[in-house]
Amino acid sequence: MALDPDLRAALATLAATPHLLVALDFDGTLAPLVERAEDARALPASGTALRALAALPGTTTALVSGRALDSLRVVAEPPEDTMMIGSHGAETWTGPDGAPLALRPEQAGLLARAVDVVERTIAAHPGTRIEFKPAGVVLHTRTASDDVADSAVTAARAGLEDLADLSITDGKRVLEISVIKADKGQGLALLRETTGATAVLFAGDDVTDEHALRTLLPDDVGIRVGPGETAARFTVASPEDFSEVLSELVSLRTQVHPAQ
């Protein structure tokens, strides 16, 4: 891919910032989308670039994902100091001193009822799957036919109608249900505040990433990976193309802040 000259110029400006936060979605951004979530892995070039950025002075790396943190750690194998936002903002890891997520009793009860709805949905819709998260549950429909997937989402939403205080979000062949109202924009804001970043690169591929993209400031760079309406200034076609963006950022940032 020939890098868009405007994107390269924006990366060059970004690379000169005193404290850079590189915050990235995982699935569909660093890793190609796959049928089984547990099989996802970052593209080698993207993984190499992320490790290189994490090693540079004045540079913080972070993953901002819909995955639960435990799942994210397994598939992403992030550099040791990489911060993480999981479950679309409901889970955070900004260092070893952070407290783990703990649900209130009423939240735990609500989650159990939501899990029951999704379990009944997948039992009636072949090819759908369930994923459990500390603060939520996910209906996966990527391995189901289109008509079954549509029926499953409709059935799940109908079953959840009587449960108040849930956050329900559509993604790419997933229905995310959480008992904590949080999004990636809130997660990115926490990372910016925690790190004191003077500029941010954020990239993502899904509608849930738009929450973060809409929070970006004029000195930041937002990138949408793949098609879709977006608030991002720039788009690239695929995770493979985004690997080239990260590699270019490594080169530009190393010139300004060489590894020690």
Side-chain angles (χ1 to χ4, degrees):
M1 179 193 77
L3 207 62
D4 182 321
D6 290 339
L7 174 53
R8 190 188 186 283
L11 292 174
T13 300
L14 188 73
T17 198
H19 192 137
L20 174 62
L21 171 61
V22 179
L24 307 172
D25 173 50
F26 182 75
D27 295 282
T29 300
L30 291 174
L33 294 174
V34 293
E35 286 192 351
R36 289 163 43 91
E38 59 268 32
D39 293 337
R41 293 295 184 274
L43 292 168
S46 291
T48 297
L50 189 67
R51 289 190 293 274
L53 287 165
L56 293 177
T59 308
T60 300
T61 54
L63 298 176
V64 183
S65 175
R67 286 180 181 263
L69 288 184
D70 286 346
S71 170
L72 187 58
R73 288 188 179 98
V74 170
V75 298
E77 299 179 326
E80 184 178 358
D81 293 334
T82 294
M83 296 183 176
M84 289 182 287
I85 300 293
S87 300
H88 298 286
E91 294 184 275
T92 63
W93 190 87
T94 56
D97 297 331
L101 175 67
L103 297 181
R104 300 190 305 273
E106 61 271 24
Q107 290 175 317
L110 180 60
L111 177 56
R113 295 173 67 188
V115 166
D116 180 65
V117 169
V118 177
E119 287 182 331
R120 285 188 279 110
T121 300
I122 65 168
H125 296 83
T128 61
R129 299 172 59 231
I130 190 171
E131 178 188 356
F132 302 97
K133 294 184 177 182
V137 60
V138 186
L139 171 65
H140 287 269
T141 64
R142 186 166 285 122
T143 51
S145 62
D146 289 346
D147 58 335
V148 171
D150 291 343
S151 175
V153 170
T154 299
R157 283 191 170 277
L160 296 167
E161 279 183 348
D162 293 334
L163 302 183
D165 297 323
L166 286 176
S167 175
I168 303 174
T169 306
D170 287 288
K172 290 183 177 178
R173 301 295 291 241
V174 297
L175 187 70
E176 299 264 358
I177 302 108
S178 176
V179 297
I180 295 178
K181 295 185 190 297
D183 60 45
K184 290 186 178 184
Q186 293 169 319
L188 185 58
L190 172 65
L191 292 172
R192 189 193 296 270
E193 180 181 357
T194 301
T195 61
T198 51
V200 173
L201 169 69
F202 180 83
D205 75 304
D206 206 346
V207 292
T208 57
D209 297 302
E210 293 299 316
H211 294 291
L213 288 166
R214 287 194 290 268
T215 72
L216 295 181
L217 303 176
D219 290 338
D220 301 332
V221 173
I223 300 176
R224 168 82 177 214
V225 180
E229 292 186 12
T230 183
R233 260 200 292 164
F234 302 100
T235 61
V236 297
S238 67
E240 289 79 9
D241 289 340
F242 185 64
S243 291
E244 296 187 36
V245 173
L246 281 182
S247 297
E248 180 69 11
L249 180 60
V250 171
S251 176
L252 292 166
R253 185 69 172 167
T254 301
Q255 294 173 32
V256 180
H257 293 278
Q260 296 176 340

